[in-house]
C-alpha cells in the first residue's frame, strides 16, 4: 500500500535521474541530502554533497552561505561556517557551476543571534530568531535567484522530513509544536515561491514520509534502530530509488 501511494504522490517526479549518469549532481541542505546522494552514487552518478547540520539549515543561513559563495558577501554566518567546517568557497563555487542538477533541501525556520548579530553558536546569551512567513519567502526567492543566476543546473527543491532537534524557544509549548510550525511554514512558503519559479521541480519527500503515514497503516521512523528521527532504510531506499530511476 505504501509503495502505491508513494508512487502516486511522486507522479511525474519518478525517474527524475534516470539519465543522470552523464551529469553531475550537487545536493545541499540537511542530512537528507546525503541519502539521495548515496542512492545516486550507487546508480553510478557523479555526486557532490554539501551537508548543513539540520538545526542550522534555515533559509536565512542558506541565503547567507550562497551570497558568500557566489557574490563574495562576507557575513558572520559564512565566517563561522568556514571556521567550523573549513569550507573553501572558491571550490564550492566551482562545484555549483559544474553541476548539471542541484537538489536543495530546506530544514527549519530558525537561526541564532548574539547581540543582534547572526551566529551558529548556541550559548547562554544567544537568542533564537524565528523567521516570519514573509522572511522565509524572501530568503527562498533569493536562494533560487542566486542558483539560477550563477549556475546552469536544473534545480530541484525538497523539505527535509527529519524532525528538528531540541526545544525551540518560549514561543512554543514543545519541540513537537515548533517542528509542526517550522515544517508547515517552509512548505507554505515554498509553495508560494514556486509559482514564480515554474521551472524548479519540487520533490515531495516531506509529504511521503511525514504526511502519508497518517493515511496508511505502516511505520516510517525508528524501524531500524529505534531512533524516532531516522527514516526506515527500506522505505527510504524504495522512495529515493523511484526518484532516481533505479
Amino acid at each position: 500500500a505504501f509503495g502505491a501511494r508513494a508512487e502516486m504522490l511522486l507522479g511525474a517526479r519518478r525517474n527524475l535521474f534516470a539519465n543522470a549518469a552523464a551529469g553531475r549532481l550537487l545536493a545541499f541542505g540537511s542530512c537528507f541530502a546525503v541519502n539521495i546522494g548515496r542512492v545516486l552514487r550507487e546508480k553510478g552518478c557523479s555526486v557532490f554533497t554539501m551537508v548543513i547540520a539540520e538545526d542550522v539549515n534555515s533559509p536565512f543561513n542558506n541565503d547567507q552561505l550562497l551570497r558568500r559563495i557566489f557574490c563574495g558577501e562576507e557575513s558572520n554566518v559564512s565566517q563561522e561556517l568556514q571556521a567550523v567546517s573549513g569550507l573553501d568557497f572558491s571550490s564550492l563555487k566551482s562545484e555549483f557551476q559544474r553541476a548539471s542538477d542541484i537538489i536543495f533541501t530546506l530544514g527549519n525556520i530558525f537561526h541564532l543571534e548574539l547581540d543582534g548579530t547572526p551566529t551558529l553558536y548556541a550559548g547562554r546569551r544567544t537568542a533564537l530568531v524565528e523567521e516570519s512567513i514573509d522572511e522565509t519567502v524572501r530568503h527562498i526567492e533569493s536562494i533560487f535567484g542566486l542558483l539560477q543566476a550563477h549556475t546552469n543546473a536544473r534545480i530541484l527543491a525538497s523539505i527535509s522530513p527529519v524532525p528538528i532537534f531540541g526545544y525551540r524557544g518560549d514561543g512554543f509549548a514543545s519541540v513537537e509544536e515548533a517542528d509542526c510550525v517550522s515544517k508547515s511554514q517552509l512548505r507554505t512558503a515554498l509553495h508560494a515561491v514556486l509559482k514564480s519559479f515554474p521551472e524548479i521541480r519540487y520533490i515531495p519527500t516531506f509529504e511521503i514520509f511525514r504526511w502519508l503515514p497518517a493515511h496508511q497503516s505502516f511505520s516510517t521512523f525508528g524501524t531500524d534502530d529505534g531512533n524516532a528521527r531516522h527514516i526506515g532504510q527500506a522505505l527510504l531506499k524504495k522512495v529515493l530509488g523511484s526518484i532516481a530511476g533505479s
Side-chain angles (χ1 to χ4, degrees), residues 1-23:
F2 173 84
R5 296 287 293 177
E7 293 290 312
M8 184 190 74
L9 280 171
L10 284 173
R13 277 74 61 104
R14 287 175 293 177
N15 303 319
L16 279 173
F17 299 97
N19 301 311

Side-chain angles (χ1 to χ4, degrees), residues 137-198:
V137 166
R138 187 168 67 249
H139 290 307
I140 295 174
E141 287 177 335
S142 176
I143 289 164
F144 288 163
L146 288 165
L147 291 174
Q148 289 189 332
H150 296 278
T151 78
N152 294 313
R154 177 178 63 159
I155 301 168
L156 305 103
S158 66
I159 294 172
S160 172
V162 178
I164 59 174
F165 181 74
Y167 186 63
R168 288 286 152 176
D170 296 334
F172 301 98
S174 64
V175 66
E176 291 82 9
E177 186 176 287
D179 181 61
C180 176
V181 171
S182 179
K183 299 295 186 182
S184 298
Q185 181 164 310
L186 288 175
R187 184 65 187 93
T188 301
L190 185 56
H191 179 72
V193 171
L194 287 174
K195 294 177 182 178
S196 300
F197 293 86

Side-chain angles (χ1 to χ4, degrees), residues 197-212:
F197 293 86
E199 64 283 3
I200 294 178
R201 303 291 299 274
Y202 174 67
I203 305 176
T205 46
F206 174 76
E207 286 83 347
I208 289 172
F209 292 114
R210 293 289 293 272
W211 231 249
L212 183 53

Side-chain angles (χ1 to χ4, degrees), residues 102-136:
I102 295 172
I103 299 177
F104 169 50
T105 302
L106 292 156
N108 69 79
I109 61 168
F110 304 100
H111 70 271
L112 299 171
E113 291 187 1
L114 178 61
D115 298 329
T117 300
T119 180
L120 301 180
Y121 300 116
R124 188 179 54 177
R125 293 171 49 224
T126 306
L128 187 73
V129 177
E130 174 192 344
E131 293 176 6
S132 69
I133 183 69
D134 289 339
E135 288 170 331
T136 300

